[in-house]
Amino acid sequence: MRIIVPIRQILDPRGFTVSRRHERIFVNREEYIINPNDKNALEVALRIKDTGGAEVIAVAVGKPRVDDALREAMALGADAAYLLTDEALAQTDAAGAAKALAKAIEKIGDFDLIITGQETLDTGDAQLGPWLAEYFGIAQVTNVREATVSDGALRAKRDWGTGYAEVEAAPPVLLTVAPGANKPRYPHGGRIMAAYREWEVTTWGAEALGLDAADLEPLTEGRGRTFPPERTLGERLTGSPQDVAADLVQQLRLQHVIK
Amino acid sequence: MDLDYLQMLMGEEEVVVEEEGEGYRNIWVVAERVGDELAPVTLEMLNQAQQLASTLGAYVMAVLVGGDETLAQELIYHGADKVFLFDDPALKDYALEPYIKALGDLFAEKMPEIVLCGATDVGGELAPRLARRLDAVALTNCTGLTLDASQRTLVCTMPVYDGEYSEVVAFSPEVHPQIVTVQPGVFGLPYRDEYRSAEVETVAVDLDGAQPRVKVLNVVAEAEREPVPLPKARIIVSAGRGMGDAEGFALVEQLAAALSGEVAGSRGAVDEGWIDEEKQVGMGGATVRPDLYIACGISGAIQHYFGIQDAKFVVAINRDENAPIFKVADVGIVADAKEVIPAIIEALEA
Ligand SMILES: Cc1cc2nc3c(=O)[nH]c(=O)nc-3n(C[C@H](O)[C@H](O)[C@H](O)COP(=O)(O)OP(=O)(O)OC[C@H]3O[C@@H](n4cnc5c(N)ncnc54)[C@H](O)[C@@H]3O)c2cc1C
Ligand SMILES: Nc1ncnc2c1ncn2[C@@H]1O[C@H](COP(=O)(O)O)[C@@H](O)[C@H]1O
């Protein structure tokens, strides 16, 4: 069983504050972490490895610094890691990153499962998983909480609507794991040393993946940022319990806090 | 009186969509059903699509997979200029592969300029796959949509870092179709006009090779669902010592259920034994960042506030008008929580 886990590195939100008043982001500490949801994805893969055995391979697209995230993934239990980076790949957008991952997964070959996070915190995109499933023309299960493999069949428990469902599919399957689906493990002491000192991260550039500049041309362009309105605290509601309740519910609906 | 005459009196004529034309055209809304009804986000998208369409000089086309004529008419009443209806019984229940085949084939033929899907479980699965199938790209979970009229491109507002701020992103002009998913509850509902009339075209799809690949073994409804961990919860109703007794605490649970939210508590509530320690919010407990936090009978000690400072909207109910919790609440209610909470539950159900 070979499981591919795409991992994204993001700017640690604990290192910056967002000022609504100044409509600016103040970065106090520029540190990078694995997208928290991707740790949930890796955890699902590692649990399958723990129970039935599997080769878990982490892959990431980005700048050279993403090497760190991949070593952390290996310390956590991944068996191998691939970093897709060069000047073009470091600059590309979600569509370009998706193409690079697809080519790399093709090149690694023979996979049974691809397990991604549902979404990344820094873009909230939530599209790379299904995009890859379409690329490979394989089954997908989104919003996964737990997954197991037995007798060659994948079984997963997934959030669906206001409840959840249990589903089954034959590999190859792509899973996207729900944020907070599990409690990711801590890296294993012995593996930390090895991951940073001994093990290799294989690096591939665009050319090795058979991609040219046109393939990686961004399909979207940033037009800036917007910030939520500043908070106005302290409004008091008065009247009978019924009046107050009606007032409150109306406010919550108007502000889209509830539906 | 014949119907045409009646329509003339009503000042409404049937919308007739001109199908001829070159290149990528019109704004398409992928309708979504919940049970026997249209999902609210579908109607909201029709509203938004009509506004975009008037700027672009385009029509609003709706596509309904697996619905019926009645729902198709509802789409027209809410703003669709034409509806494409896949009425194959095999498409009644959602399954990814057949739905993608139906939509993919239709869009490959019709060449939409813009496609709107709901940012829902279903829309979130369909949009990225459609994007790949049609060699385009999707922008997802949008809370704002405007047009760059000079380039005919959509400019989308997408919240990032859990809504701390939003990135504004435009499609490059060469991307077709421009596919977006739209967050529910952001755009208003359109006016329902029963006198609107337009064409419903029934379409068929060849489902050969598009059988569902995922087998659903069983579906568990909401009641049995496992609780969402507090740091991820969107709505939290939290009890403090001020709820008085287990009966008072039960009111907090009822309010949480009415809002489909999670129950939590202050240290006061944990000390009273009404709730487990793992549900404690604050310095010694969970740090939460919900869209809505309702503090019931909580004084608002600094150690408690520590855990809720990233909450987007805080409501405080406390009998003491000088309770510190009011300093950090967006809305404060000075009252007996035991009287107000039942009234809120009633107002929610109204
Ligand atoms: C190191 C440390 C860590 C701590 N960590 C935490 C933590 O993680 N979380 C936490 O919550 N606390 C924590 N505390 C405790 C904190 O300081 C407070 O003691 C605690 O939050 C008080 O809980 P409370 O607001 O429920 O109770 P109280 O302070 O007793 O407040 C009850 C409130 O209810 C109101 N009230 C009474 N009856 C009614 C009624 N009928 N209707 C409406 N309102 C009513 C009262 O006016 C009062 O304001 C910590 C303390 C320390 C020292
Ligand atoms: N640059 C990247 N490199 C590797 N994996 C990624 C990258 N971006 C996104 N992913 C994966 O795709 C998932 C969904 O990301 P997104 O579609 O960007 O929200 C993430 O949780 C990751 O598993």
Side-chain angles (χ1 to χ4, degrees), chain B residues 213-252:
Chain B
R213 289 171 193 261
V214 175
K215 199 164 118 198
V216 179
L217 303 175
N218 88 67
V219 177
V220 180
E222 178 173 30
E224 295 158 67
R225 182 179 175 162
E226 290 166 32
V228 180
L230 287 181
K232 292 282 160 198
R234 290 277 138 239
I235 294 180
I236 296 175
V237 186
S238 197
R241 188 173 280 122
M243 292 318 298
D245 48 29
E247 231 169 86
F249 177 74
L251 289 174
V252 170

Side-chain angles (χ1 to χ4, degrees), chain B residues 39-112:
Chain B
V41 69
T42 298
L43 308 181
E44 292 159 12
M45 288 191 290
L46 288 171
N47 193 16
Q48 185 65 13
Q50 273 296 349
Q51 291 174 34
L52 297 172
S54 63
T55 312
L56 288 176
Y59 292 107
V60 175
M61 314 290 231
V63 48
L64 178 60
V65 185
D68 56 22
E69 187 73 29
T70 317
L71 287 187
Q73 285 305 329
E74 283 300 318
L75 290 167
I76 293 169
Y77 297 158
H78 287 92
D81 296 325
K82 178 165 180 178
V83 177
F84 290 82
L85 169 65
F86 287 93
D87 61 355
D88 187 333
L91 294 168
K92 185 173 176 299
D93 293 321
Y94 171 75
L96 179 86
E97 288 77 6
Y99 273 50
I100 277 287
K101 179 75 167 32
L103 293 169
D105 287 2
L106 183 68
F107 290 156
E109 183 199 330
K110 302 290 180 188
M111 300 175 59

Side-chain angles (χ1 to χ4, degrees), chain B residues 140-333:
Chain B
T140 50
N141 299 319
C142 302
T143 55
L145 287 179
T146 56
L147 280 166
D148 180 335
S150 66
Q151 303 193 321
R152 292 183 79 91
T153 55
L154 275 178
V155 183
C156 307
T157 306
M158 301 186 295
V160 299
Y161 282 106
D162 277 338
E164 284 283 308
Y165 62 94
S166 298
E167 296 282 1
V168 182
V169 182
F171 285 96
S172 302
E174 68 274 14
V175 176
H176 294 292
Q178 304 176 59
I179 303 175
V180 301
T181 70
V182 174
Q183 268 190 23
V186 177
F187 300 113
L189 288 170
Y191 173 69
R192 180 177 184 276
D193 180 358
E194 276 198 43
Y195 291 102
R196 250 182 136 262
S197 81
E199 189 191 349
V200 178
E201 184 177 327
T202 307
V203 273
V205 56
D206 178 8
L207 289 178
D208 216 25
Q211 272 63 48
R213 289 171 193 261
V214 175
K215 199 164 118 198
V216 179
L217 303 175
N218 88 67
V219 177
V220 180
E222 178 173 30
E224 295 158 67
R225 182 179 175 162
E226 290 166 32
V228 180
L230 287 181
K232 292 282 160 198
R234 290 277 138 239
I235 294 180
I236 296 175
V237 186
S238 197
R241 188 173 280 122
M243 292 318 298
D245 48 29
E247 231 169 86
F249 177 74
L251 289 174
V252 170
E253 286 179 312
Q254 287 162 28
L255 179 57
L259 287 163
S260 305
E262 303 299 315
V263 185
S266 66
R267 168 89 141 257
V270 173
D271 286 347
E272 295 290 338
W274 303 327
I275 192 163
D276 279 353
E277 198 176 331
E278 62 190 45
K279 297 282 177 172
Q280 175 176 316
V281 170
M283 217 170 96
T287 303
V288 300
R289 41 189 315 138
D291 295 335
L292 172 62
Y293 187 85
I294 306 186
C296 311
I298 293 178
S299 59
I302 183 74
Q303 292 89 351
H304 187 78
Y305 173 63
F306 187 85
I308 63 168
Q309 51 191 336
D310 287 333
K312 297 215 183 82
F313 199 90
V314 176
V315 177
I317 309 170
N318 196 304
R319 220 165 38 180
D320 172 10
E321 63 172 318
N322 295 317
I325 190 79
F326 287 128
K327 295 208 195 93
V328 298
D330 296 85
V331 170
I333 299 173

Side-chain angles (χ1 to χ4, degrees), chain A residues 31-42:
Chain A
E31 273 172 23
Y32 294 86
I33 54 170
I34 294 181
N35 177 46
N37 190 193
D38 300 359
K39 283 199 173 171
N40 301 128
L42 184 59

Side-chain angles (χ1 to χ4, degrees), chain A residues 10-13 16-18 20 25 36 93-95 99 119-128 130-131 133-135 137-143 145-146 155 157-170 173 179-180 217-228 231-238 241-242 244-246 248-249 251-253 255-259, chain B residues 94 96-97 100 121-122 124-125 128-129 131-133 136-141 148 151 153 155 157-175 184-187 213-222 224-226 229 232 235 259 291-292 294 309-315 321 326-334 339-340 343-344 346-348 350:
Chain A
I10 64 164
L11 183 62
D12 186 347
F16 65 79
T17 49
V18 174
R20 296 180 177 191
I25 297 161
D93 63 354
K99 285 179 206 158
E119 61 176 48
T120 49
L121 212 49
D122 62 339
T123 65
D125 250 6
Q127 63 169 318
L128 190 119
W131 192 101
E134 178 70 24
Y135 182 94
I138 60 176
Q140 78 181 39
V141 185
T142 52
N143 275 310
R145 301 223 136 253
E146 287 165 30
R155 278 190 178 214
K157 198 157 130 186
R158 63 164 341 176
D159 289 344
W160 196 248
T162 52
Y164 66 84
E166 273 164 327
V167 301
E168 190 179 86
V173 185
E217 197 67 34
L219 297 180
T220 54
E221 49 188 77
R223 295 280 179 95
R225 296 183 168 140
T226 61
F227 294 80
R231 287 168 75 164
T232 48
L233 293 176
E235 190 191 341
R236 299 282 170 108
L237 304 181
T238 51
Q242 282 67 32
V244 169
L248 176 68
V249 171
Q251 266 218 38
L252 296 179
R253 289 211 170 109
Q255 306 229 18
H256 297 299
V257 179
I258 59 170
K259 268 162 228 148
Chain B
Y94 171 75
L96 179 86
E97 288 77 6
I100 277 287
D121 287 342
V122 171
E125 291 205 330
R129 289 198 75 141
R132 163 69 202 161
R133 189 163 289 203
V137 67
L139 289 173
T140 50
N141 299 319
D148 180 335
Q151 303 193 321
T153 55
V155 183
T157 306
M158 301 186 295
V160 299
Y161 282 106
D162 277 338
E164 284 283 308
Y165 62 94
S166 298
E167 296 282 1
V168 182
V169 182
F171 285 96
S172 302
E174 68 274 14
V175 176
V186 177
F187 300 113
R213 289 171 193 261
V214 175
K215 199 164 118 198
V216 179
L217 303 175
N218 88 67
V219 177
V220 180
E222 178 173 30
E224 295 158 67
R225 182 179 175 162
E226 290 166 32
K232 292 282 160 198
I235 294 180
L259 287 163
D291 295 335
L292 172 62
I294 306 186
Q309 51 191 336
D310 287 333
K312 297 215 183 82
F313 199 90
V314 176
V315 177
E321 63 172 318
F326 287 128
K327 295 208 195 93
V328 298
D330 296 85
V331 170
I333 299 173
V334 183
E339 284 175 15
V340 179
I344 297 173
E346 216 168 279
L348 282 168

